[in-house]
Amino acid sequence: MAAPTPIKCDLAVVGGGLAGGLIALAVARQRPELKIVLVEQEQHFGGNHIWSFFASDIAPEHRWLTAPLVTYGWSGYDVHFPAHSRSLDNIYYTIESERLDWLLRHNLPASSLLAGRTVKAVSPRLVVLDGAQRINAGGVIDARGVADYHHLDCGWQKFTGQLMQLSEPHDLTRPIVMDATVEQYDGYRFVYVLPFGMDKVFVEDTYYSDKPDLDRRVMAQRIAAYADGKGWQVERVLREETGVLPVVMGGDLENYWASGSGRTAKAGARGAFLHPVTSYSLPDAVRNAIYISELPDYDGDRLNMLMRQRAQEHWKSGNFYRILNRMLFRASEPSERYKILERFYRLKPGLIERFYAGQSTSGDKARILSGKPPVPIGKALQAIRARKKKR
């Protein structure tokens, strides 16, 4: 049987999640004369996800990329801790994966979208798919998600979230980004709540834990108990998602990069483009998509060099945040971790905004570390000086 005719394109993006999808949308708009191919293993682009971000996470000149994706928005948000609650006015947005899938299908030709295809191999200019189908590209970007996290020193953020249809309207007008008044289990635990319309609410049970083990059944029970405590009568669960994300404390970026398709350019978690503390990928996904869309050409080797440089710069800029992670995971008892966030949320709104955007100033960093730490001083100093533990 003859091999399929190779597909030729200027840029092949492997992985149709958030990072890959944003690259495809940005390049399609900025460089409409080019042929793009986006490959995704599942039948739908974006997977089963709800992504949220603050308005201040995205530069004003980049908001053209995120604006069409937004499905919900609020003028502010709340946080709750045992010692205090606070309302902040930073605008908060949510994107649903279904919207990303819809936009890709309406902005790119069908010939550019390869869903339900398994990737067998990638290199800087070649993608091999199931059935011996080849994509010959000027350049390839691998955005398929995580590489080998054994090269990184990680704690874990794990969660289960449910979108609930309620029998009666709730009384929420804005999100609760952290409700840490709940009982603490398995590290720092908080509940995250998004009000979708009058009678729908998304509730996520989240943990900053030492281990990546996730018991979906137990977390679902705790979500149900939280809803019951709020007096919400749940008619049915409309969707559910689970995840385990790395909270990086250190490691070997070069070996991590090489573990995810070697010399091929990478984006998203594949290239370690995550906020070290929050594990959010959207702000960096937007920045990378805009950057790639403005490049003059997509030569595979040059793409790899440029994206590797960006990953190195991102890693260097994350040094301070990784120190905070070590303080969170190694200087505090698991049941006391919430006190670090409780203290953090007493700081000025601008500092909090820059922190989430991964753009903390030197003054912000000094302020975060100043004063008496909410952890033992000796352990805090050890955590600051610590290097990657051997596994």
Side-chain angles (χ1 to χ4, degrees), residues 54 77-79 92 175-179 190-193 345 356:
F54 298 102
Y77 67 98
D78 299 329
V79 294
Y92 199 60
I176 303 171
V177 168
M178 285 187 181
D179 186 348
F190 65 91
V191 175
Y192 169 70
V193 184
Y345 266 103
Y356 273 103

Side-chain angles (χ1 to χ4, degrees), residues 9-14 37 119 121-128 135-144 261 263-267 298-301 303-304 307:
C9 64
D10 297 287
L11 178 66
V13 181
V14 182
V37 171
V119 174
V122 299
S123 70
R125 296 180 184 82
L126 174 68
V127 180
V128 180
I135 302 174
N136 295 324
V140 175
I141 298 176
D142 190 349
R144 285 180 290 174
S261 61
R263 293 170 38 252
T264 304
K266 286 169 272 291
Y298 295 125
D299 172 74
D301 291 325
L303 266 178
N304 177 59
M307 294 306 293

Side-chain angles (χ1 to χ4, degrees), residues 102-118:
W102 185 90
L103 274 176
L104 285 166
R105 295 181 189 277
H106 282 75
N107 285 275
L108 278 78
S111 60
S112 291
L113 301 174
L114 302 183
R117 300 300 301 270
T118 300

Side-chain angles (χ1 to χ4, degrees), residues 307-368:
M307 294 306 293
R308 184 175 174 179
Q309 287 176 350
R310 285 179 69 82
Q312 291 167 338
E313 292 166 1
H314 178 71
W315 182 266
K316 183 178 179 180
S317 70
N319 284 338
F320 171 74
Y321 301 110
R322 289 191 293 277
I323 288 172
L324 297 183
N325 288 342
R326 294 197 292 271
M327 292 179 65
L328 180 66
F329 282 90
R330 296 191 175 138
S332 60
E333 294 299 323
S335 62
E336 301 291 307
R337 286 176 185 164
Y338 75 90
K339 293 182 179 179
I340 295 178
L341 280 301
E342 189 173 64
R343 177 182 181 272
F344 172 78
Y345 266 103
R346 292 187 184 276
L347 301 177
K348 291 183 178 180
L351 180 152
I352 295 171
E353 291 177 9
R354 291 187 293 274
F355 181 90
Y356 273 103
Q359 297 174 339
S360 299
T361 66
S362 57
D364 292 339
K365 296 172 185 178
R367 179 66 186 89
I368 290 170

